[in-house]
Amino acid sequence: GGDDSATETNEQNVAAGQSQSEQKIIVKDAVIPAENPAASPETAIKRGDTVVVGLQEPGGVFTPYFNTSGYDGNVQSVMFEPLVDINEKGEAVAGLAEKWDIAEDGLVYTFTLREGLKFDDGTPLTADDIEFTLTLLHDPAYAGSTDITEASIVGGLDYKNGDATNISGIKVIDERTIEITTDKVSARTLRLLGGSVLKKDYYGNGYVKGNLDYLTALHQKPIGAGPYRFVTYLPGQEIRYEANEHYYGGAPKAKGFIYKTTVGDAQQFFQTGELDYSALAANQDNFEFLQALGFADINIYTSSAYGYMTFNHEKEVFKDPKVRQAFILGLDRQTIISTYYQGFAQVANVPVSPTSWAYTADVGSTAYDPEKAKALLEEAGWTLGTGDIREKDGKKLTVYYFTTAGGLGDTLIPIAKENYKEIGIDLQVEQMDFNALLARVDKGDHDLASFSTTMLPDPYNGVEGFHTKSTNSTFKGYGTEEIDQLIDATIATNDIEGRKAAFHELYKALEENPPVIYMAYTKVLSGANARIEGFEPNGYRGIASSLRNLRLAE
Amino acid sequence: MEIKQKSSSLWRQIARRFLQNKMSLIGLAFLIFIFLFSFIGPLFSPYVNLGVDPTNINQAPSAQHWLGTDKLGRDVLTRLMLAGRISLLVGLGAMVMSVVIGGVLGIISGFYRGIVDQIIMRIADVLMTLPGLPLLFIMAAILSEWKVPTEYRIYIVMLMLSIVGWPGLARLVRSQILSLSERQFMQATEALGLRDGRKLFKHLLPNIVPLLIVSGTLSVGGAILSESTLSFFGLGVVPPDASWGNMITSANSLIDFQKRPWLWVPPGLSIFLTVISINLLGDGLRDAIDPNMKRR
Amino acid sequence: MGNAVLDVKNLLTQYYTGDGVISAVNDVSFSIPKGQTVCLVGESGCGKSAVAMSIMGLIDAGSGGVKSGEILFEGKDLLKMKKHELRQLRGNDMSMIFQEPMTSLNPVLTIGGQIMEPLMEHELISKKEAKKRALELIELVGIGRAEEIFNSYPHQLSGGMLQRIMIAIALACSPNLLIADEPTTALDVTIQAQILDLLRSLKEQREMSMLLITHDLGVVAEVADYVIVMYAGKIIEEGPVVELFKNPKHPYTKGLLKAKPVINQRQEELYTIAGQVPNLATLTPSCYFSERCEQCMAVCKEQIPEIRDLDNGQRVACWLYEEVTIG
Amino acid sequence: MKGYVVKRLFYMIPTLFGASILIFFLYSLVPGNFIDADQNLTAERKAELYELHGYNEPVVIRYFIWLKNLLKGDLGYSLQFQLPVGEVIGNYIWSSFIVALASLILTWFIAILVGIVSAIRQYSIWDTFITIIVFAAMATPSFFLGLVIIKIFAVDLGWLPAGGMISTGSNFTGWDYVKDVAEHMILPVLVLTMLGIGGLTRYFRTNMLEVIKQDFMRTARAKGLKERVVIFKHGLRNALLPAITLFSFELPALFGGAIITEQIFNWPGIGAIYMQAFSVRDYPLLMGFTMFIAVLTVASNLLADILYGIADPRVRVKK
Amino acid sequence: MTNETPLIEVKNLKKYFGEKRGLFQRNASVVRAVDGVSFQIQRGETFGLVGESGSGKSTIGKSILRLQSITEGEVLFDGENLHKLSNAEMRNLRPKIQFIFQDPYSSLNPRIRVGDAIGEALLDHGLCDKHEVREKVKEVLEICGLSEYHMDRYPHEFSGGQRQRIGIARAIILEPDFIVADEPVSALDVSIQAQIINLFSKLQRERNITFLFISHDLSVVEHLCSRIGVLYLGTMMELGSREQLYSNPLHPYTKALLSAVPIPDPTLKRERIILKGDIPNPANPPSGCKFHTRCPFATERCKAEVPVFKEVEKGHFVACHLV
Ligand SMILES: Nc1ncnc2c1ncn2[C@@H]1O[C@H](COP(=O)(O)OP(=O)(O)OP(=O)(O)O)[C@@H](O)[C@H]1O
Ligand SMILES: Nc1ncnc2c1ncn2[C@@H]1O[C@H](COP(=O)(O)OP(=O)(O)OP(=O)(O)O)[C@@H](O)[C@H]1O
Ligand SMILES: [Mg+2]
Ligand SMILES: [Mg+2]
């Protein structure tokens, strides 16, 4: 039902374009169909039923769980479908698994596969394959980034660290059914268990516990069970797929799919028709650009990630929540966000995106209130000293802010400097590349540092770092027992309503004792060439879930 | 006697020849202008201390803002002037440094040969094995870790640019020197028993000045631009400070290119004109010291 | 002179210097009949090389050039000629031996290559043929081990060898006019004699004309048919060699002949012409030699003497003889 | 001569050794590493991975391990690509190479011509015009130039593809393939050429200005050689001597990739990959590649010295 | 001959060129430019060196002044082996021993004005004050027939002869004890040549300067030199006093040389000894007497046996089987 809202949003956009001074206007998520599909460039039309989408150069590891680059994940998602998928609200929906049951006690998971599932080589996909996949992830030699032990499968650690030859908690009931027993209730387990499935007699061919080296030979010869089948990989150029006739939903109508390597701005490629789909930086310029093309179906959706500026909680200054609150209130986030995103983002108030079921607008403030900030600082003992910089115990309130170059920073820095100066804070800025930023934050050199989360499949992912047990160094030094309990409560049940309440309670607590300055929920602006129908990107899975529906427009 | 004394001074002779060259005077005039523009100009701007103005972003040039405003509503003209301070210092500084370091090491290496040459050239080899950009990247990252204050960092970056830059010029100079050393006039200096210093600076140096001038002019432009590359990686000038390079860089989309030329044309033109006037100046200097040039 | 190969008329060649423009060649006229050798002698710096360069059209436009006059080569004015026409003459119909062989050869090309060039350019012969000819030429100018010299570079040869290479290059295409600017200064007398013999035989066999610039009066006496004496850019005396040597008219010419040391006639002190050449940039209308002339008169300091014919075929520009004729 | 070459080859060892130390320790000083770059990793997982990749060893030990492998010809194993570094380099380097080679040839060809012409016509309209163009190209950042070129030739005129190396999804073989690649090469080559030509032109112009005043040029003219021969054979030969050094800088650059140009044109080259490796701190790849370039650099410097000795007969290689 | 040590003593000097160069010229032959030459020059005398072009005269000159390395032999200056001195010692000695280059143009730096070129060594050795230099240079230039206005010009603005005089000025301004003059007057017209020769004589008379005078012009050599060596293909053929050599030449090559001197009298035609035969190759010199290939009196013995350099009368040495 995107069509109604589209016209509405369209007007909003025009309005946004006209009066930039009116800052509160926020573009709504919308699908705006192309005005002139006939304008599609010939390059694209000539390509027929092959769809081309831009992607940054992947690492070339196309075996799920083994990739180190997120782009490899995109490559995999075309040919591997998870057991449990996520919808645009962040809710779990059926993937390869037709359904799943979680026992009353929340510890036993029973997955039932769809009927007649096949890998793209035509061989059947069975519960054995799932067992193999989970076992492999427990292998002591496994060097990928998935930490399956968080699922707490019974016997998992014995396999990983001990002599066990199999994992006792995994039980194959029949070809289509598998039962997994865990020893801890966690709302996260479902996603951990419900990932992609590796074909046992392919990826497991020759498997010996403790040695996974043989797998590297298979990284570029994936066999999956997704809508498309891998054809070829031309490093630096493209990855080609063909429709998978063994896919349970039937082969997609668009017979070919290509991920083309693009770096940075892909506007020109979309414009010349070399790409059929492209996500662009969300801003008014690019929106107008897409509109002007005429042949672009525009889709604006909100990412599941959120941006934030973290405090270094180990520093004495930030031990006092009042100071942190002052930093939040003293920063004109609204101006920053609307100047930079031109309406294509909104100021964040809680650590979860508004697309999520866990979101609430009732908690947290987005206000800019320098007076209150000043008052809070005074209360915290930071009084104005020489040069209009606050001091306490002879120490000046000079804070070092680390951020990456480009992007929001260029807008944020000047404004933040001014804002903080006004309330008596001296903000020193250092830019560096992302990795350096991470390393230095890890060392605790910073006072403030900017980050953005990755896509957050579960709202828990948005808060887990705040836990004192979390080893995420970004939030080192933060947290209280009370907050820990509140965080734990959010995964202590599998019931969505229960979790929602738990999250809202947590968010309130976080407001009192802010771990970070929430910055923005950004939109993603994507254009699809109108000759192709079926792109329905969302903030959780991008285009992955909609690939099966790709077809040529009539 | 007066007059003769005058004409005898080599420098006066060069200066006279230089002043006869209209193009190089234009170059000089523009350089002086751009310096005044950058260092004194901001004093006359009403926008120097004005910060971000979100109500006024991306305005086309107008009576209030002669060169329009940027993405944060700042006056482009004022920013251009302030950016000039940094870019000019970086460009000229890097030029002087690289020409001096490269020139001196090249001359020494080509002149003394033997062990000195081996040492300098092997160091050059090693330095040249480190590709420029990442090396700067690394060094700048380290600098930041060492908490060097941000406002000084750009000058250290400048220093690094020339540290990375010297082996190239040094090798060029060295090969010229090797060739020159074989010329008979160098044998003549040997016969006269001239001091090495004189051989180096009076005999060899003038013969490589044209090379140094070219390399110097090229390095000004190079440095101004690579400064922005550093900014691109967040290692150069930190916002809200500006440099010409990063002013262009921040207008980095096709849309800005098309719709908002006032964002990139002024800094682009400034770099261009600076580089070209330095070149004119260099050409004038080259001709002034070139005994063969006698255009009337 | 109808059969003149070269006819130079009122040539004015100037150079630009720091002090101003100088007329290195000032209103010089002469001609070279076919098969004859004309020698140009004169004080160092008087413009002999400038005459040669002007004829060849090789003065760099940045440092000076021919300002007026005519240079007729086989009837055609070289100054009015198109570039490519002149080019085809150079090295082929007329060629030149430069005074300073060391700098006149390309340091990075082999000797052989440089000799072969005019051959291949003008005679349109194959490389192999050209090499053969080049080797012959090297032998011809009296250098042994031709094959090795062929492959060496200028810096590996001695001054005299380079000079002979220059000669070989100039002779490569059997020119009708050879301009030789001090071609034998670096040669020992036996080789000099050999080269002069060679030139003489070319002159006789092929009626080659030659403009020989030299200060070696012995050489002049041996090869010249006609001698021109220059001083400060002007011709001050000219005439057939025998007459001129026997009976020099101009005080400068007389001085020159006196100054020459002669073997077996050793004196303690050689005769010299006192004084300095005037600064070419600040010449006043006078006889340019007047400052140094032992017979200087009042008129000499006020007026430039015209060159005029004497009855014996000699010509001289000197007030001494004006008076004689007037008187 | 032979002795000299042998000696210089021998000197390459300490030089490369020094380079390897510098490279290794510089990279080890860079903040951040591959494992930390993945924010989703838990601390335990990180610790495990540190162990797995040997990051817990002291730097010096790691250096020697790396060096030992280097000496065995093993450049290491890319963390990001999960492939041997040599293989990763091999995957991308040739596409960088063909672009670099094409633009190298074009750049030198044009630069020589233009440099010479503007030297012999010093201060003519042509010289001024060229000077302006050269400096305009020089004052333009490469990404900007790339964007402009794309905008004009690919987007507005639609003459040429905006990027990539082959037409997406195409299966050309033989000549068609060559043609397709060639078509995609034009714009990046154009940009690289425009960027590279400026400096070179200036060098040639000065060198030529020095040479055309020499006496031997006069001799060449006196031989009646065509002006073309005079300039190109006699003049250029001498003017090219300093260019040998310049040329030696190009050799490593041929394999070094052009980071920004490749990114803008989506060219599957090593430059873009290098940058990407940098952003995820794939040190084995970074160090392996840098070392590879280092070897090329040192070798080409040696080559330049030898060539210089050959090309300029006056410079004898002194013992 | 006096008993005091000669100012210059050259002992068995050898200089071979053509160490293998170029990767591809593996077997480039070795040119024996100077092949075992010995002679002495007494203080205050002018020693003339004549000989065929390419016979190694310049090479000897440069080797003596250590402007080139030598292959073998010794060069003693005032009893000191020049080739064994340290660079610093050598530099201090330089102003005392000067060289006038055969090729003046290439020995001048194109970018240095001649006034500076002439004066710089004075400054550099601290022999003169900064403000006096110009005066001194002017003086020397005038002695050499040039004027003050030439000082500010660059080398390329001069004629060949003028450049040669610049070379001379540059050497004599240092008031050296010993000058190697390599064809110093070859490009000068006779009147200036006479001036220069007179200047040399005067310098010698007044300041007891020693010259090694390399020239082709035998009349000049006769005029200036008290003893003369005749070189052929890197070997000394004859050595003697002026009188001995000019009135009683013993070696056929010397005779040929003397007979070839052109006489400035167009009416006079003279009998010359024409040297025929193959021009020898210094890389592969003829066996026996090096001159035998061109000697009109050569015998079988000359082909086979190297003649010894013997003293035939006091101070008159010759290497020839026929005397
Ligand atoms: N390129 C030049 N620029 C300025 N003046 C020059 C240049 N070349 C020569 N001259 C001057 O022109 C005059 C004539 O020079 P030219 O070379 O013709 O003399 P010359 O008669 O050949 O003398 P020499 O016998 O010494 O070679 C000299 O005074 C010289 O200083
Ligand atoms: N750098 C060099 N490399 C190789 N051979 C050389 C070199 N310099 C001189 N020679 C050779 O050494 C020999 C002697 O040269 P030198 O210059 O001493 O002769 P010269 O007696 O001065 O002759 P000239 O009277 O012609 O000047 C020549 O055969 C020459 O080719
Ligand atoms: Mg001359
Ligand atoms: Mg010589």
Side-chain angles (χ1 to χ4, degrees), chain A residues 315-317 382 390-398:
Chain A
K315 293 261 168 103
E316 200 48 48
V317 205
W382 289 94
R390 286 176 192 276
E391 284 174 11
K392 184 178 178 180
D393 308 330
K395 262 189 69 190
K396 282 203 154 89
L397 191 46
T398 297

Side-chain angles (χ1 to χ4, degrees), chain A residues 267 285-286 288-289 335 339 400 405 410-411 413-415 417-418 428-433 440 443 445, chain B residues 51-52 54 57 71-72 74 137 144-145 147 150 153 231-234 237-240 254-255 259-260:
Chain A
Q267 279 177 8
D285 278 347
N286 284 344
E288 283 169 18
F289 162 78
T335 300
T339 306
Y400 282 87
D410 289 350
T411 306
I413 294 165
I415 300 180
K417 272 196 147 178
E418 276 176 40
Q428 293 288 323
V429 182
E430 282 204 30
Q431 292 180 310
M432 56 201 79
D433 88 312
R440 301 206 46 205
K443 275 174 64 187
D445 290 344
Chain B
V52 176
I57 64 173
K71 289 177 171 164
L72 295 176
R74 294 172 293 196
F137 200 150
S144 136
E145 193 149 10
K147 274 214 184 238
T150 39
R153 228 172 267 178
S231 304
F232 198 66
F233 296 107
V237 174
V238 179
L254 276 175
I255 290 162
K259 291 213 288 199
R260 293 186 269 269

Side-chain angles (χ1 to χ4, degrees), chain D residues 8-39:
Chain D
R8 279 295 303 272
L9 280 172
F10 179 74
Y11 277 157
M12 272 178 78
I13 297 169
T15 308
L16 286 175
F17 188 69
S20 76
I21 293 180
L22 212 55
I23 289 171
F24 188 92
F25 286 93
L26 269 176
Y27 277 116
S28 77
L29 278 174
V30 177
N33 68 46
F34 185 77
I35 297 162
D36 292 342
D38 189 345
Q39 276 186 296

Side-chain angles (χ1 to χ4, degrees), chain A residues 15 51-52 62 71 166 219 225 241 247 259 261 271 310-311 313 316 321 343 353 385 450 482 535-536:
Chain A
V51 179
V52 182
F62 304 146
Y71 306 114
N166 63 351
H219 283 339
Y241 306 88
Y247 182 57
Y259 261 135
T261 298
Q271 188 172 4
T310 183
F311 300 104
H313 294 280
E316 200 48 48
S353 155
S450 266
E482 184 209 340
F535 278 115
E536 282 165 23

Side-chain angles (χ1 to χ4, degrees), chain C residues 39-68:
Chain C
C39 270
L40 208 51
V41 298
E43 177 105 9
S44 162
C46 70
K48 304 181 294 293
S49 302
V51 169
M53 297 291 191
S54 306
I55 296 169
M56 292 296 285
L58 287 174
I59 296 177
D60 175 44
S63 60
V66 177
K67 294 293 139 163
S68 66

Side-chain angles (χ1 to χ4, degrees), chain B residues 125 171 179 182 286-287, chain D residues 123 206 209 301 305 312 316:
Chain B
D125 274 355
R171 284 193 64 86
S179 184
E182 295 301 324
R286 201 193 68 82
D287 290 349
Chain D
Y123 297 118
T206 351
L209 279 176
N301 284 350
D305 284 350
D312 189 345
R316 274 144 304 171

Side-chain angles (χ1 to χ4, degrees), chain E residues 238 250-257 273 275 291 295-297 320 322:
Chain E
E238 188 166 359
L250 293 174
H251 198 282
Y253 179 62
T254 318
K255 289 177 187 162
L257 273 184
I273 302 172
L275 291 176
F291 187 56
C295 183
F297 317 106
C320 182
L322 303 175

Side-chain angles (χ1 to χ4, degrees), chain A residues 446-466:
Chain A
H446 66 300
D447 291 313
L448 295 171
S450 266
F451 285 100
S452 172
T453 65
T454 50
M455 281 201 226
L456 300 174
D458 191 280
Y460 175 78
N461 300 126
V463 295
E464 59 184 330
F466 305 153

